[in-house]
Amino acid sequence: MIFQSNKTIKFEILFILWKEVIIVILMTISGILIVIGTIYCLIKRYETRLVLFCSGLLMTFIGGNPMGTMQAFSHAMLESKLFESIIAVMGFAMVMKLTECDKHLINLLIKPLRKAGTFLIPAAVLVTFFINISITSSAGCSAAVGAILIPLMIAAGIHPAIAGAAIYAGTYGAMFNPGYPQVALIVSVSDSNPVAVVANHFYPLLLCGVIGAMSLWVVAKIHHEDKGYKLQGEIVKQTEDFHVKLSHAIVPLVPIVILVLGSMNIVPIFKPLSISHAMIIGVFCAFLITRKNPQDISKEFWKGAGNSFGSVFGIIICALVFVNGLTSIGLIQQLIQTMINIPSVAKISSAIGPFLLGVMSGSGDAAAVAFNKAVTIHAADFGILPMSMGSVVAITGALGRTMSPVAGGMIICATLAGVSPMETAKRNAPGMIIATLAIMVIMLFIE
């Protein structure tokens, strides 16, 4: 009797264990299918926030935590520090557009490029790379710079696909900006400060920019697309009579200068200023120099602030809901455990994962936010510096997006060049792949 009782107990325990294993397997399979479906919907360009929110909601239901979605939503809405930075940066960007200070900065940098010859290709990439520090939106920067530089490059004999690719290849320079939302996110998960984060990835990111520029130049050379392209008619006259005012051109750089000088204690009076404060000072500088109607400036600033909540911060909120769904269904825990057991997997996946998601979805932000919020907070367990892992995630996500044919900025550049997005994307691919491998090795395996 006792023997049978023990046997029955063992059988029941074994049955419970197998039941738990089966449940975990089914939940994991369900989670993987939902993730694949999410990626597919993003590739098909369904509304990003809707896709992420619904995917997260579905996973929390499967994971037995239906209220988790609402709790994640409420928690994300309380990210006050991140929200403050985002609305200030986007508001400032709208003021720069209104006052045309961004146009003065662009034209100041474009005019010397006319004498660059075949080196106009890498020069255009690096100039866009630099401008993107101030005009942080990849789509906005593509439109602003591409509208001027792409016709200029085509008129100089460069193939339209290379011209379009050159502009979009420089649209991840925003990671140099201490006020950029992705930098702010890295700060929040690494318990650091914006300037320290930028300083940590400054040289690796600069190397990525150079790799992207020179790789595209090599691709153009190999395919003989760097010169000799014939275009009927004259299409570049719009910048000939534009009078650049240096005072206007430096305004977009004011907030960055204030933040850097303050954080490095070069100008102690700037040290207490936050990102939002620096942006507001930049807005006042724009008013003093351009003398635009202050009512119009105020309207544009708050218009940018409102747009940032709906677009940038809205994606962040829904990405956090998606992360909560991944956690509820157990995928995050399994990923983290695998990374803990095999640290090299964490280093590789933190670069390759966001990169591939960026390529497939056309958005580096959603993948980077989700990965940083879910995995980077555990970086110390993998033997990785959280700040370095966070930067690699954000940068590789942007690199993947930069070679994605479904990215909004890529479509803008291709349209301006008169070619298909796939034509521009495939020319950027070699440089972005090499840059991803380079930053992964430098920041995660060497440092």
Side-chain angles (χ1 to χ4, degrees):
M1 292 289 292
I2 294 174
F3 176 77
Q4 288 181 344
S5 178
N6 289 338
K7 190 174 181 180
T8 302
I9 292 172
K10 289 180 180 179
F11 177 78
E12 289 177 352
I13 293 173
L14 187 62
F15 176 76
I16 292 172
L17 290 175
W18 273 106
K19 182 180 177 181
E20 291 294 326
V21 170
I22 292 172
I23 291 174
V24 170
I25 292 174
L26 290 175
M27 289 178 63
T28 301
I29 293 174
S30 299
I32 293 172
L33 291 175
I34 293 172
V35 170
I36 292 173
T38 301
I39 295 171
Y40 172 79
C41 290
L42 292 175
I43 292 174
K44 298 297 289 184
R45 304 189 67 80
Y46 291 113
E47 213 286 316
T48 303
R49 290 158 294 188
L50 177 64
V51 171
L52 292 174
F53 187 90
C54 291
S55 297
L57 181 62
L58 181 58
M59 284 188 285
T60 55
F61 269 100
I62 294 175
N65 182 28
M67 289 303 297
T69 298
M70 305 307 169
Q71 293 168 356
F73 184 88
S74 297
H75 178 72
M77 293 287 284
L78 298 176
E79 292 275 2
S80 58
K81 291 185 178 179
L82 192 61
F83 179 57
E84 179 184 355
S85 300
I86 292 172
I87 63 170
V89 170
M90 297 301 290
F92 176 74
M94 290 296 289
V95 172
M96 292 302 96
K97 183 177 180 180
L98 171 70
T99 58
E100 296 191 337
C101 289
D102 57 347
K103 185 180 292 186
H104 284 271
L105 176 61
I106 291 169
N107 280 275
L108 176 67
L109 297 172
I110 283 175
K111 290 185 178 180
L113 296 180
R114 295 181 182 276
K115 300 178 181 179
T118 185
F119 290 102
L120 183 58
I121 296 168
V125 176
L126 294 176
V127 165
T128 308
F129 194 62
F130 175 73
I131 292 173
N132 191 227
I133 299 174
S134 297
I135 307 173
T136 56
S137 165
S138 62
C141 186
S142 298
V145 180
I148 300 171
L149 254 188
I150 290 176
L152 175 64
M153 295 176 72
I154 294 174
I158 295 170
H159 191 281
I162 292 291
I167 303 305
Y168 205 54
T171 56
Y172 51 93
M175 286 297 295
F176 280 129
N177 189 334
Y180 187 53
Q182 287 292 345
V183 173
L185 180 59
I186 297 168
V187 169
S188 69
V189 299
S190 64
D191 193 25
S192 184
N193 65 78
V195 173
V197 169
V198 172
N200 185 53
H201 64 231
F202 181 86
Y203 290 109
L205 181 61
L206 185 62
L207 176 63
C208 287
V210 173
I211 289 173
M214 297 310 298
S215 295
L216 186 60
W217 180 68
V218 171
V219 169
K221 277 285 186 183
I222 291 174
H223 293 93
H224 307 290
E225 296 177 339
D226 61 320
K227 59 183 178 180
Y229 181 79
K230 300 297 182 182
L231 183 71
Q232 292 183 350
E234 184 66 36
I235 63 171
V236 57
K237 290 183 178 294
Q238 59 193 74
T239 62
E240 293 291 344
D241 300 324
F242 189 90
H243 177 63
V244 175
K245 296 180 181 178
L246 185 60
S247 58
H248 288 52
I250 63 175
V251 172
L253 306 177
V254 168
I256 298 173
V257 173
I258 290 175
L259 291 170
V260 172
L261 294 180
S263 298
M264 296 178 66
N265 209 28
I266 296 175
V267 182
I269 195 173
F270 291 159
K271 194 171 183 65
L273 297 176
S274 67
I275 294 170
S276 60
H277 301 156
M279 297 297 161
I280 291 172
I281 291 173
V283 170
F284 276 101
C285 289
F287 163 68
L288 293 173
I289 290 175
T290 65
R291 297 293 181 176
K292 282 281 185 179
N293 188 327
Q295 295 187 89
D296 293 337
I297 289 179
S298 178
K299 289 178 182 178
E300 287 301 306
F301 180 86
W302 292 112
K303 179 181 178 182
N307 290 342
S308 70
F309 188 89
S311 55
V312 181
F313 201 67
I315 292 176
I316 291 175
I317 291 173
C318 294
L320 291 176
V321 170
F322 180 74
V323 169
N324 183 74
L326 292 174
T327 303
S328 298
I329 212 165
L331 283 180
I332 295 298
Q333 291 88 332
Q334 293 183 39
L335 177 62
I336 291 171
Q337 192 59 49
T338 301
M339 290 181 175
I340 291 174
N341 295 334
I342 312 174
S344 59
V345 172
K347 294 181 178 181
I348 294 173
S349 63
S350 63
I352 304 302
F355 174 80
L356 292 177
L357 285 174
V359 174
M360 291 184 289
S361 67
S363 171
D365 288 348
V369 169
F371 201 99
N372 274 331
K373 280 288 186 180
V375 181
T376 302
I377 56 177
H378 300 281
D381 297 331
F382 315 138
I384 305 174
L385 187 67
M387 186 163 54
S388 294
M389 188 175 189
S391 291
V392 169
V393 168
I395 293 170
T396 55
L399 289 170
R401 176 262 299 160
T402 307
M403 58 168 280
S404 171
V406 297
M410 181 69 80
I411 293 171
I412 291 172
C413 290
T415 301
L416 290 171
V419 296
S420 72
M422 185 60 73
E423 288 299 306
T424 53
K426 69 181 184 182
R427 286 165 172 79
N428 271 341
M432 299 306 108
I433 293 172
I434 295 171
T436 295
L437 296 175
I439 197 165
M440 177 181 68
V441 171
I442 293 172
M443 295 197 71
L444 298 182
F445 288 92
I446 295 179
E447 286 189 349

